[in-house]
Amino acid sequence: MRPRGTPTVVRAGVPVPLALPVAVLLGVLVALPLLRLVQVLWQEGDLAGILGSPGLGTAIGHTVVLAVAVTVTAVPIGVALALALRRPDLPGRAFWRAAVLLPVVVPDFVLGYSWTQAYARAGFTDTLLGLHWDGLLGPVGVWLVLVVNAAPLAYLVVAVGLAARSEPDLERAARASGAGSTTVLVTITLRLVLPAVAAASVLVFVLTLGTFAIPQVLGTPAGFRTVTTRIYADLSIGGDPTSFLEAVSLALLLVLVAVVCVAPSDALLGPRLRSARPADAQGQQSVPGGRAARRGQAVGVGLYLLLTMAVPLAALALSSVTRALGVPPTPGNWTLDHFRQVLTVRTVEALGRSVGLAVVAASLLVLLGGLVAVGERRRAGRATATLITLTLVLPGSTLAVALLITYGRWLSGTLTLILLAYLAKLWAFAHRPIAGALDRLPPDELHAARASGAALLTAVRTVALRPLAPALLGAWLICFLTALHEVTMSSLLYGPGSETLAVVVLNSQELGRIGPTAALSVVLTVLVAAPALLLSPVVGRLRVPHDGPRAEVARVG
Amino acid sequence: MSAEPVPEAAAVEIVDLVVEYDGTTALRGVSLTVGAGEVLALLGPSGSGKSTLLHAVAGFLEPRAGTIRLAGTTVSGDGRPVPPERRELAVVFQNYALWPHLSALDTVAYPLRRRGAPRVQARAEALEIMRRLRVDHLAQRRPAELSGGEQQRVGLARALARRPSVYLFDEPTAHLDTHVRGVFLDELVARQQDSGAAAVYATHDAEEALGLADRVALLDHGHVLQVGTPQQVYDEPVDLFAARLTGPASAIDDGQLLVRPGWARLGGPLEGDVRAVRFRGPHSDYLVHSPRGEVLIREAGSPRHAVGAHLGWTLEHGWPLAGGAI
């Protein structure tokens, strides 16, 4: 196919073949460990005995029911938030839009723990008003906090879908055709965001299947077991071969459940999800609505955030500075003792490890994600990109167990093993935004640079890098934050001298040290939130306003 | 349905309309009237406020001040604005605004369904409307499977199905190829006349505006510069800017006198040099430099003079400009 006289290097776009090293790395990080998982079970497992154990069936049942329940609750909340927050006339809109994303920067076990500080026995509302909720520790509490944790994600996916698919004119056309606002919502708007709703559902479902920290904090004390918490219990408490094999089979079952549930929906939705049109995530209301509805929506969003985020986080902050459990959290009872108590050499070392690990992981991940995204432009790279996207389905617990049995012999208990797990788990997180930004880059801009005399690399550097910068920085930030508060895999893989700060917090919580755990949680949250708050305006400022044809249309007349 | 419209009432009446977007004023006190069955063209450059005006009439935005009446009923400016679905109007959009999840047939049936027609009846009626526009063979297609011209015909069919008393056309031909444009415009005018409804037609194309409107309103920076019949705005523009909006214009005698290309001819007592020649198909344009100023002269047929030729010309008609040169 190659035209005569044209050097391969130019036609290939990228001078080195990328597909091969990427595929090898993917094999080392994911394929080989998964195969090893199967092999171990095949060779040593008393499969019938393990699969027949009653606890296993219960754990799987709990996990699936929980994932379904969280999905059908969190996605409608995400849709409602996206619809309410796209109204340009919503009072305090900019603040709400930032506040809704708060659970993204708050580590999930900190969120779960903060709920216990707010609403459980001897918590904030109990001390102040004598109100507490016993059901918080148990399946209902796990479900509710998982919903709060997942809703922002559903909101983000749906909001982007709204902005991309539902042009204001489509809704205006329906209004001008005689449809009232509710009819437009049902017949037009919701139909247009259906693919985004489906995508959000798959995402929330998969993440809930693999979630560990919230069921561990809120479910385990009440004896409510999921697959992930059972794996943790098997590996950290039970040291015998039976519990090890049970962990291995649970890990394998978890990924099977994920694949079985997600494969049909991805086949159904995949092509549609990938052809999303470029859009700014602003979105706007097509027709002004009534003032009462506007105020009602603002109050609704405010109340939701107050109860789900503000009160728990305030309770967490207060119990980190309050002298003892059950004492009223008034300034007279405030002390910094808990912080002094937890700021030991061990904590500071863990903090340093966490930050270092997150920086290294995020930087490598942006590089790896970028490689796959660029490789994807050629036919050979497309399969690897699909494989990378598939790793999204892999639960962290499965990956951790698989990596442990594959490389544990050499790397057990080292930071390197945790780093490998992060790379495998977060590769897709880095790949998606970079690939999306590459897709949005109009090819004519590169063509124009080439036609103006720039060689390929010069063209990429001078024309493409600047518009890609927000995506690169955004991908780095996502990986950094996720790595920083990751606990599912690190709690299974850490050893003496390789605890991350998140693991320290989890262990402290399991020891029942309330004040110190709260203090550690505050430290971790600040650590995560600070770079997010500092860097996200930078990402926003780097974003070049793109004068597409759509922007042109909007300005005419 | 609202009460029977007062027979004398104008189809659309706009009084002192002010619209603001994020602190910038898009319309600064616009007053316009569209009579029953009349076609009013809004002609102006990008950003002049044409679309904003249409959106205000349709109820897609809330004006800051002013009044809008449709068939004598106040829909905006007096208490709660009437929402778009209860204004009896239909909109044809520049970017077609067809719903990607509906077939062409269901798109056209949509307004009928909103009137309460059962699905089967709405579809039958929609198919009939599509047949009249000769797009019935596209009934089962989705927007993505239609060309621009086909999409805009479906958009027009949807507007017809609404059976409104006012049509709002928001540059409906802006994205259409030239050859599709003419056919679509003929169709649009014929259907609008059949229906007896009034229409407001926004465009930046002078030929379109002059060719299809009963009256033309010239818009710039949110102001109405002039309203009149197509002949009035072409022959007697209020100033040179208005003159240039409606077609080629030369200003001679220090900008005091407007000369349209057809108002002067080659040969005659006045002297000049040809600075440029453009062959335009049916006619040729000559840019002639003369002591009274540069003037564009249009003559039928192929070019008869070359650049640099010294020749005579005759001024047959001129229109005194109030403001002088801009």
Side-chain angles (χ1 to χ4, degrees), chain A residues 210-411:
Chain A
T211 192
F212 161 71
I214 290 170
Q216 176 68 11
V217 171
L218 298 176
T220 306
F224 176 75
R225 285 279 183 205
T226 63
V227 173
T228 51
T229 60
R230 219 182 148 87
I231 291 175
Y232 177 75
D234 281 340
L235 289 186
S236 63
I237 302 161
D240 54 304
T242 320
S243 51
F244 176 75
L245 278 179
E246 188 183 87
V248 170
S249 35
L250 279 170
L252 206 58
L253 279 173
L254 190 58
V255 76
L256 282 180
V257 169
V259 168
V260 164
C261 294
V262 171
S265 57
D266 191 58
L268 223 63
L269 300 165
R272 263 196 276 172
L273 298 185
R274 273 183 269 282
S275 65
R277 250 180 304 149
D280 60 288
Q282 287 290 312
Q284 47 176 307
Q285 181 112 12
S286 53
V287 179
R291 284 183 189 86
R294 191 187 312 164
R295 215 170 296 134
Q297 280 170 335
V299 169
V301 173
L303 213 57
Y304 169 79
L305 287 173
L306 180 75
L307 290 178
T308 61
M309 294 303 299
V311 170
L313 288 180
L316 179 76
L318 282 174
S319 55
S320 74
V321 295
T322 301
R323 186 162 302 139
L325 184 68
V327 171
T330 48
N333 290 324
W334 284 1
T335 168
L336 286 177
D337 283 351
H338 299 314
F339 285 94
R340 263 179 234 120
Q341 199 182 331
V342 297
L343 282 181
T344 57
V345 177
R346 181 170 166 259
T347 316
V348 174
E349 276 178 9
L351 193 151
R353 274 195 292 271
S354 276
V355 173
L357 194 61
V359 167
V360 172
S363 309
L364 284 175
L365 280 163
V366 167
L367 195 68
L368 290 176
L371 281 183
V372 176
V374 172
E376 198 179 353
R377 326 295 290 172
R378 335 249 84 244
R379 195 173 308 158
R382 230 161 278 165
T384 38
T386 311
L387 284 178
I388 295 289
T389 309
L390 283 180
T391 62
L392 271 177
V393 177
L394 279 180
S397 308
T398 306
L399 258 180
V401 173
L403 285 166
L404 190 63
I405 58 175
T406 313
Y407 305 114
R409 206 175 314 164
W410 306 284
L411 297 173

Side-chain angles (χ1 to χ4, degrees), chain A residues 176-178, chain B residues 84-85 87-90 111 115 158-164:
Chain A
S177 296
Chain B
E85 66 272 18
R87 304 183 181 194
E88 281 184 52
L89 40 80
R115 279 173 190 273
R158 172 174 66 188
L160 291 173
R162 174 88 166 126
R163 278 181 256 125

Side-chain angles (χ1 to χ4, degrees), chain A residues 169-170 175-176 187 288 556-557, chain B residues 60 85 89 99 101 110 162 171:
Chain A
D169 273 353
L170 294 179
R175 292 298 289 272
T187 59
V556 165
Chain B
F60 298 155
E85 66 272 18
L89 40 80
W99 303 298
H101 63 291
Y110 191 90
R162 174 88 166 126
E171 305 208 40

Side-chain angles (χ1 to χ4, degrees), chain B residues 266 273-280 284-289 294-297 303 305-309 311:
Chain B
L266 295 183
D273 301 303
V274 176
R275 284 284 162 87
V277 182
R278 290 277 177 275
F279 176 54
R280 305 253 184 225
S284 301
D285 285 342
Y286 303 87
L287 186 64
V288 177
H289 183 76
E294 285 206 335
V295 62
L296 187 75
I297 301 175
H305 302 278
V307 173
L311 43 65

